[in-house]
């Protein structure tokens, strides 16, 4: 204690304290912290900031991917993008945590979901600082990677997505696949049952739309767990855009000659979603092989499976989604949304072959469906899907689905 008070940084403070009367002096000395910075945090510049350099020096194949979930080239590119947003300045009292350290902390957390206590010893940064850094880094990632998660803005872009679904999954007029997952969170203070879902844990819901190539087109993290699974789509920001026809989705067209009735372009959803003129779900119940309903459901399931694979791989790569995430709900939304942007970023960069190898997705081999490796990953199993809802669609919507079914029986 005496050595600390004799240090230069405390000389001025000590002089002022000694000039006080005895009572005030005792009170002031009692308030002086034993440590300005704990020794473990002083070692940060010898440990945390050099951690990535140590990994690279080892030159172990996949070491950077395992630690950060990305190729080192993508890390440096991302660092350049977020640096203006997360950089902090040194002060007279201490050196700031560098941008590289901050990005390392944020990426390590979303990749592993390690507790703050573990990250504290790994990076030599206090738990309070870690919580603040994670939120800031995730918010910066969302801001700089906006171009990676965007709904199409033109009719031609929607038609390109539809063509990919038809070419890869034999489902025409599909413009995306939709699904949602419950993400576990710690019970917020004084929240009551606001985030407590029917499966008896606290959660928020990730609702997402993907294209035919495992890329997210849209993601919304907003619904509390107490909202019924059937209400997730009704409460997301995408639904009003679809209802108002403000997304430039192509007008209905005939599927193919000799058909003459025009059929709309639709999203593919499972039984957790009600059928509308822009979202189609499978037939309910069991159907015999070779029937019109069975054929439609098989084709629909194959095409809609793309969102299952996308969310499965996404959750297996970012273990923070295993939860429960120990942050306030608003901060959880930022963290979860950042993982969505990182998924698309890594899918379209140098990290793609390692982040998502061919065996990670469901695929057909010699006429048999082989499950992707994500299905056996505990991280993917941690997310709970939305439950099916019972809803009777209008005759007009059932006729629309039947037109697709008739088409599949002939093509």
């Amino acid at each position: 204690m005496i050595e600390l008070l004799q240090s230069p940084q405390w000389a001025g403070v000590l002089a002022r304290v000694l000039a006080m009367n005895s009572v005030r002096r005792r009170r002031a000395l009692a308030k002086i912290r034993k440590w300005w910075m704990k020794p473990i945090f002083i070692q940060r510049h010898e440990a945390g900031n050099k951690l990535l350099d140590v990994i690279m020096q080892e030159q172990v194949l996949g070491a950077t991917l395992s630690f950060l979930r990305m190729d080192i080239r993508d890390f440096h590119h991302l660092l350049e993008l977020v640096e203006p947003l997360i950089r902090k300045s040194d002060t007279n009292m201490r050196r700031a945590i560098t941008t590289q350290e901050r990005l390392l902390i944020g990426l390590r957390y979303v990749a592993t979901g390690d507790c703050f206590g573990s990250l504290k010893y790994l990076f030599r940064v206090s738990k309070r600082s870690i919580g603040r850094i994670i939120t800031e880094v995730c918010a910066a990632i969302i801001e700089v990677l906006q171009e990676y998660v965007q709904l199409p803005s033109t009719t031609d872009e929607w038609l390109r997505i539809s063509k990919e679904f038809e070419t890869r999954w034999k489902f025409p007029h599909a413009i995306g696949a939709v699904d949602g997952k419950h993400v576990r969170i710690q019970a917020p203070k004084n929240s009551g049952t606001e985030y407590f879902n029917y499966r008896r844990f606290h959660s928020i819901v990730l609702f997402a739309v993907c294209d035919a190539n495992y890329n997210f087109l849209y993601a919304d993290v907003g619904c509390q767990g107490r909202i019924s699974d059937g209400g997730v789509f009704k409460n997301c920001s995408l639904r009003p855009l679809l209802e108002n026809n403000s997304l430039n989705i192509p007008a209905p067209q005939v599927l193919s000659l000799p058909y003459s009735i025009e059929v709309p372009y639709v999203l593919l959803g499972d039984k957790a979603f009600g059928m509308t003129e822009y979202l189609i779900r499978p037939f309910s119940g069991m159907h015999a092989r070779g029937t019109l309903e069975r054929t439609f459901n098989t084709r629909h399931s194959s095409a809609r499976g793309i969102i299952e694979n996308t969310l499965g791989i996404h959750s297996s790569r970012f273990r923070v989604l295993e939860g429960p995430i120990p942050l306030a709900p608003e901060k959880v939304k930022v963290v979860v949304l950042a993982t969505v942007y990182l998924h698309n970023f890594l899918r379209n960069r140098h990290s793609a072959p390692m982040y998502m190898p061919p065996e990670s997705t469901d695929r057909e081999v010699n006429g048999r469906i082989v499950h992707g490796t994500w299905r056996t990953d505990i991280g993917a199993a941690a997310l709970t899907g939305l439950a099916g809802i019972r809803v009777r669609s209008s005759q007009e919507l059932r006729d629309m689905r039947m037109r697709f079914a008739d088409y599949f029986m002939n093509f």
Side-chain angles (χ1 to χ4, degrees):
M1 182 68 173
I2 298 298
E3 293 179 357
L4 176 64
L5 293 177
Q6 290 177 343
S7 63
Q9 75 180 36
W10 283 101
V13 176
L14 182 59
R16 289 192 296 271
V17 170
L18 294 177
M20 299 175 182
N21 60 48
S22 58
V23 176
R24 294 181 62 198
R25 184 164 56 248
R26 283 197 300 271
R27 291 176 180 173
L29 288 173
K31 292 180 180 179
I32 293 178
R33 293 162 53 181
K34 184 176 181 180
W35 301 106
W36 172 252
M37 180 182 290
K38 294 183 178 181
I40 187 174
F41 301 144
I42 296 175
Q43 300 171 10
R44 187 183 77 246
H45 301 290
E46 288 73 40
N49 196 34
K50 295 184 178 180
L51 187 58
L52 183 62
D53 296 334
V54 172
I55 293 175
M56 296 310 299
Q57 288 172 5
E58 291 179 354
Q59 297 181 353
V60 178
L61 182 62
T64 309
L65 178 72
S66 298
F67 189 81
L68 302 175
R69 292 293 188 267
M70 65 176 60
D71 183 275
I72 188 60
R73 292 168 292 181
D74 292 338
F75 172 81
H76 286 305
H77 178 64
L78 185 59
L79 180 61
E80 291 178 3
L81 294 176
V82 302
E83 184 170 12
L85 300 178
I86 65 174
R87 181 176 58 244
K88 303 296 181 181
S89 301
D90 294 339
T91 68
N92 293 331
M93 305 303 292
R94 69 179 73 184
R95 293 168 59 187
I97 301 172
T98 66
T99 53
Q100 176 170 287
E101 288 176 285
R102 291 173 181 275
L103 184 56
L104 277 170
I105 291 170
L107 292 177
R108 179 62 178 176
Y109 178 69
V110 298
T112 65
D114 284 349
C115 66
F116 289 4
S118 175
L119 295 173
K120 163 186 170 181
Y121 289 105
L122 180 61
F123 291 98
R124 311 298 199 267
V125 176
S126 70
K127 290 195 289 185
R128 178 176 294 182
S129 295
I130 286 173
R132 184 170 59 252
I133 288 170
I134 286 171
T135 305
E136 291 175 354
V137 168
C138 288
I141 287 172
I142 294 171
E143 183 171 343
V144 301
L145 299 184
Q146 283 292 313
E147 64 181 274
Y148 284 91
V149 183
Q150 289 185 342
L151 285 169
S153 58
T154 68
T155 300
D156 288 341
E157 290 175 349
W158 286 113
L159 289 173
R160 178 182 56 80
I161 292 175
S162 175
K163 187 63 177 179
E164 290 174 346
F165 267 103
E166 183 172 8
T167 301
R168 297 191 62 176
W169 309 108
K170 305 299 187 292
F171 202 109
H173 285 217
I175 54 174
V178 303
D179 202 359
K181 296 289 185 180
H182 285 275
V183 179
R184 291 175 181 265
I185 63 173
Q186 283 190 358
K189 293 181 180 180
N190 305 316
S191 63
T193 60
E194 187 176 5
Y195 293 90
F196 195 69
N197 62 47
Y198 70 96
R199 296 179 185 268
R200 307 191 66 78
F201 62 86
H202 292 83
S203 69
I204 60 173
V205 179
L206 165 62
F207 173 79
V209 181
C210 76
D211 64 13
N213 293 308
Y214 308 98
N215 293 307
F216 289 109
L217 293 174
Y218 168 88
D220 183 275
V221 189
C223 287
Q224 299 96 334
R226 68 175 177 82
I227 295 178
S228 67
D229 288 352
V232 169
F233 181 55
K234 293 179 180 179
N235 287 275
C236 77
S237 60
L238 176 63
R239 184 169 179 265
L241 299 176
L242 293 167
E243 294 282 353
N244 298 330
N245 296 318
S246 57
L247 293 176
N248 292 320
I249 294 175
Q253 299 178 15
V254 296
L255 287 172
S256 177
L257 295 176
Y259 296 99
S260 59
I261 300 177
E262 296 179 337
V263 177
Y265 288 82
V266 294
L267 297 169
L268 308 178
D270 62 10
K271 296 177 182 179
F273 304 95
M275 192 156 63
T276 68
E277 64 273 13
Y278 50 77
L279 192 152
I280 193 168
R281 58 182 268 169
F283 289 96
S284 301
M286 300 295 293
H287 304 278
R289 186 185 298 274
T291 60
L292 180 146
E293 292 85 357
R294 178 72 171 267
T295 301
F296 173 88
N297 283 0
T298 299
R299 197 79 69 89
H300 183 280
S301 175
S302 177
R304 198 199 64 82
I306 192 75
I307 187 63
E308 290 185 2
N309 280 259
T310 301
L311 286 171
I313 293 167
H314 165 245
S315 58
S316 69
R317 297 297 185 264
F318 298 104
R319 295 302 180 91
V320 66
L321 299 175
E322 291 182 27
I325 302 177
L327 296 169
E330 291 303 318
K331 294 181 179 180
V332 173
K333 294 174 186 178
V334 174
V335 171
V336 174
L337 200 56
T339 63
V340 171
Y341 282 81
L342 284 170
H343 170 89
N344 279 14
F345 175 73
L346 299 176
R347 278 277 300 124
N348 295 278
R349 297 281 303 178
H350 301 290
S351 304
M354 296 179 288
Y355 175 80
M356 190 173 152
E359 64 272 14
S360 63
T361 61
D362 295 344
R363 59 205 181 278
E364 185 174 337
V365 179
N366 298 325
R368 183 173 61 91
I369 299 298
V370 177
H371 285 164
T373 54
W374 69 267
R375 292 188 180 275
T376 58
D377 191 285
I378 57 174
L383 292 186
T384 303
L386 304 181
I389 59 173
R390 293 184 178 181
V391 58
R392 182 172 178 81
S393 303
S394 67
Q395 185 61 48
E396 183 180 356
L397 294 177
R398 295 201 300 272
D399 289 343
M400 177 190 72
R401 181 172 57 189
M402 192 61 69
R403 293 186 189 103
F404 279 99
D406 287 335
Y407 173 83
F408 293 148
M409 290 295 289
N410 297 293
F411 291 91

